Amino acid sequence: MADDMVRVEELEAALPSMTRWRVPGERSMDWAALEAGLGTALPSDFRSLAEAYPTLVIDDFLMVSLPTPGAEAPWASASRDDEILQDLYEMGDTEDYVPYPQPGGLISWASSNSGDTFYWRTSPADPDAWPVVVRTDNADWIEFPVGAVEFLAGVYGRTIDVPGMPRNFPSDDPKVLGLSDRID
């Protein structure tokens, strides 16, 4: 678990504007319900991120889809029934990738407002070893041998380049916009 918080801290170092949205303590997620609904465990770095943050919208461009306490089942259901990915697959536009729950299928965890989608490829069996797969709005598929949090830290720390993304991605001073999942 310590490694996963290190990864979240690396992301915070690369994206300092996100820390103002960090939840004091931890958001209590019902991971058992979410994973039962989804049919798989999720990577522990993503779990750590979801427990620390209600949402991540970066530069009003990239949105990380974090589950909400009490709404784990709808999140799992939406992740499991990805109609856009299913349509792309049926049209033969996914290269060799397949939608989850097929073995090694893709689960989306983020998207951009220009049509890029960020997935995990659910193989190997250990979720902590799942690579990130990006489908750019140009229909290019690119795989990165890192998890979601390490991927974001690399993109915003400028050690990972994603070909085909807008020229201003990431921006020079990325801003994190937050949405609160609490009603004060």
Side-chain angles (χ1 to χ4, degrees), residues 46 49 54-67 75 108-114 116-118 152 156 169 177 179:
F46 182 79
L49 184 66
T55 197
L56 274 183
V57 180
I58 306 164
D59 277 342
D60 203 16
F61 174 75
L62 187 137
M63 192 180 107
V64 179
S65 170
L66 296 169
W75 189 93
S108 166
W109 57 268
S111 59
S112 80
N113 65 11
S114 71
D116 312 284
T117 309
F118 302 80
L152 291 170
Y156 289 99
F169 171 80
L177 315 169
L179 304 168

Side-chain angles (χ1 to χ4, degrees):
M1 191 64 172
D3 276 359
D4 307 315
M5 281 322 295
V6 167
R7 289 199 189 102
V8 171
E9 285 161 13
E10 283 171 16
L11 177 56
E12 290 169 342
L15 258 181
S17 66
M18 76 187 272
T19 56
R20 64 184 285 239
W21 302 106
R22 190 179 187 120
V23 175
E26 199 174 88
R27 297 165 78 226
S28 54
M29 215 61 74
D30 185 345
W31 292 110
L34 188 150
E35 293 172 352
L38 188 55
T40 181
L42 288 173
S44 51
D45 64 333
F46 182 79
R47 290 170 56 142
S48 295
L49 184 66
E51 287 166 355
Y53 286 93
T55 197
L56 274 183
V57 180
I58 306 164
D59 277 342
D60 203 16
F61 174 75
L62 187 137
M63 192 180 107
V64 179
S65 170
L66 296 169
T68 303
E72 293 90 351
W75 189 93
S77 170
S79 298
R80 200 181 163 92
D81 304 319
D82 186 331
E83 290 176 18
I84 295 168
L85 180 59
Q86 189 63 43
D87 289 347
L88 290 170
Y89 178 69
E90 288 167 10
M91 293 184 309
D93 188 21
T94 56
E95 293 186 4
D96 291 330
Y97 295 107
V98 297
Y100 182 82
Q102 292 186 49
L106 300 181
I107 297 174
S108 166
W109 57 268
S111 59
S112 80
N113 65 11
S114 71
D116 312 284
T117 309
F118 302 80
Y119 300 97
W120 289 292
R121 178 170 52 80
T122 60
S123 77
D126 174 7
D128 288 338
W130 290 351
V132 166
V133 175
V134 179
R135 181 188 187 270
T136 68
D137 68 334
N138 308 327
D140 293 324
W141 293 85
I142 309 157
E143 188 166 312
F144 298 87
V146 295
V149 174
E150 191 177 340
F151 173 81
L152 291 170
V155 165
Y156 289 99
R158 291 186 163 65
T159 58
I160 292 178
D161 178 50
V162 185
M165 296 298 275
R167 205 168 37 79
N168 59 349
F169 171 80
S171 70
D172 292 336
D173 183 21
K175 293 283 176 251
V176 174
L177 315 169
L179 304 168
S180 178
D181 60 1
R182 298 191 308 266
I183 297 168
D184 294 321

